[in-house]
Amino acid sequence: APTDGPTTVAPTRLPTDAPTTYICAPDAAPVCAGPAEPCYLDGRCADPGSDPFGGLGCNAGFGGLLCRFCGFDNFTACPTTTAVPVPAPTALPTPAATIAPT
């Protein structure tokens, strides 16, 4: 069902039997249609009945069932990926010196 405004979505895993050739990718880009019409690879399009958006935007530009339009008109917001910072390495504590019994 269409939404009243943009909805933030998280990237999803693709079905294990998904074809490997799509014109779209996990990151949204305008490759399915016009330059102002981004799309991305979304595994939820494989089952519109369980898709929270009911299949809205799937098969974007006929680029493949799992390509979904996003970020324009009534389509959902494009997913954003947030890089998780890698913590800086920390020095391991130096073991206390042990004195062998004499």
Side-chain angles (χ1 to χ4, degrees):
T3 59
D4 292 331
T7 303
T8 302
V9 294
T12 57
R13 292 187 182 270
L14 298 178
T16 55
D17 61 345
T20 56
T21 55
Y22 284 93
I23 61 172
C24 56
D27 293 325
V31 295
C32 294
E37 300 171 332
C39 64
Y40 67 102
L41 195 59
D42 189 348
R44 296 175 293 187
C45 287
D47 184 9
S50 66
D51 177 17
F53 307 112
L56 178 69
C58 293
N59 199 24
F62 303 104
L65 176 65
L66 302 185
C67 292
R68 182 190 299 268
F69 280 126
C70 64
F72 69 99
D73 292 341
N74 289 331
F75 299 113
T76 62
C78 294
T80 56
T81 54
T82 305
V84 177
V86 176
T90 56
L92 296 175
T94 304
T98 55
I99 300 174
T102 55

